[in-house]
Amino acid sequence: RLKGGLNFSNIIKTNDKNFNTEFKAGLNAGLFAEIPIISSLAFAPELMFSQKGYKTSGSSLLGGANEYSVTTNFIELPILAKINASDKFSIVFGPQVSFLVSTKETFKQGSDTYQNTIREENDRLKKSLFGGVAGIGIELTEKLSLNGRYALDFQKNNEDGTSQTPIYKNQVYQFSLGFKL
C-alpha cells in the first residue's frame, strides 16, 4: 500500500520569542499496512519520507527584503492504532520515531539565492526524534483514501540552541492520498 501528499510544517520555539516563523510546504510519501486486531481496531505501521521545516522573512540593514527557510528530510516510522469508526471513517493515533536524513537552508535576498546543505550547527541537531501522531482517514473508494493528521516531535531539536539555530520542536499538518494495491 502506498501513500503520498503534502506537509505543512512549522516549529514550536522554546527559547526565542523574537524569532517569528511561518508554515512551509513539503512532501510526504511512503508505505503503510493495516493488520486487523479485532473488528474495528487495527495495527497500522508506516514507513514514510517526510519533509519538515520552517521559513521566516525580514528586511536587511540596507532596506531589502530577505527570506530564510530550512527544509529537513526525515525517514519516519509511525506505529499507529487505527480505529474504524464506520465503513468510511477512521481515527489513527500513536507514537512516531523520525530519523534525520538531511537539512538544507535557503537564504534569498533580492534576486540572490544562497543554499547550504550542511552546516556546523547541524552536527548538534538530534539525528532521531520521538513524537506522536493523531489523525483521521476517509475511505473514498475501496482502493483510495484521504488522510489528514497532526504530528508533533516530543523532543527538542537540540538542547542548547545557538543564535543561528533556536531550540525548537517540529510540528506538521500532513495530508495524503492512500492507494491500496
Side-chain angles (χ1 to χ4, degrees):
R1 298 177 178 187
L2 304 172
K3 69 186 314 187
L6 289 175
N7 286 348
F8 296 96
S9 62
N10 202 342
I11 58 175
I12 298 173
K13 298 161 294 300
T14 58
N15 71 329
D16 188 348
K17 304 289 186 224
N18 296 321
F19 189 73
N20 297 315
T21 61
E22 302 169 17
F23 280 89
K24 180 178 187 326
L27 299 175
N28 68 71
L31 306 169
F32 68 99
E34 187 174 323
I35 303 162
I37 298 174
I38 57 175
S39 65
S40 62
L41 179 65
F43 172 59
E46 299 180 358
L47 175 62
M48 299 290 295
F49 168 80
S50 183
Q51 288 183 318
K52 301 178 185 179
Y54 62 92
K55 62 182 179 178
T56 186
S57 58
S59 56
S60 68
L61 296 174
L62 301 175
N66 61 52
E67 182 179 294
Y68 173 74
S69 68
V70 175
T71 302
T72 50
N73 296 314
F74 286 90
I75 298 295
E76 298 184 323
L77 297 170
I79 307 298
L80 305 175
K82 181 178 181 183
I83 298 171
N84 294 309
S86 73
D87 292 354
K88 302 284 185 191
F89 182 76
S90 61
I91 300 167
V92 295
F93 60 92
Q96 168 175 282
V97 179
S98 302
F99 300 96
L100 180 63
V101 176
S102 67
T103 300
K104 182 171 85 173
E105 300 173 305
T106 303
F107 180 74
K108 294 179 183 177
Q109 186 170 24
S111 61
D112 296 328
T113 300
Y114 308 94
Q115 290 188 342
N116 187 17
T117 302
I118 303 287
R119 68 174 185 175
E120 189 176 312
E121 285 86 2
N122 289 341
D123 292 338
R124 289 187 284 254
L125 295 178
K126 289 186 178 175
K127 304 301 184 246
S128 62
L129 296 166
F130 181 72
V133 174
I136 60 170
I138 299 170
E139 299 295 322
L140 301 174
T141 69
E142 283 187 27
K143 295 190 180 265
L144 184 65
S145 63
L146 178 62
N147 307 285
R149 63 173 61 166
Y150 176 75
L152 174 67
D153 290 342
F154 297 149
Q155 295 174 290
K156 299 171 191 163
N157 66 320
N158 64 18
E159 296 301 327
D160 62 350
T162 66
S163 60
Q164 292 84 24
T165 306
I167 296 173
Y168 65 86
K169 296 178 184 181
N170 292 300
Q171 64 174 332
V172 180
Y173 292 95
Q174 189 175 74
F175 303 94
S176 62
L177 285 174
F179 304 97
K180 296 177 184 175
L181 304 172

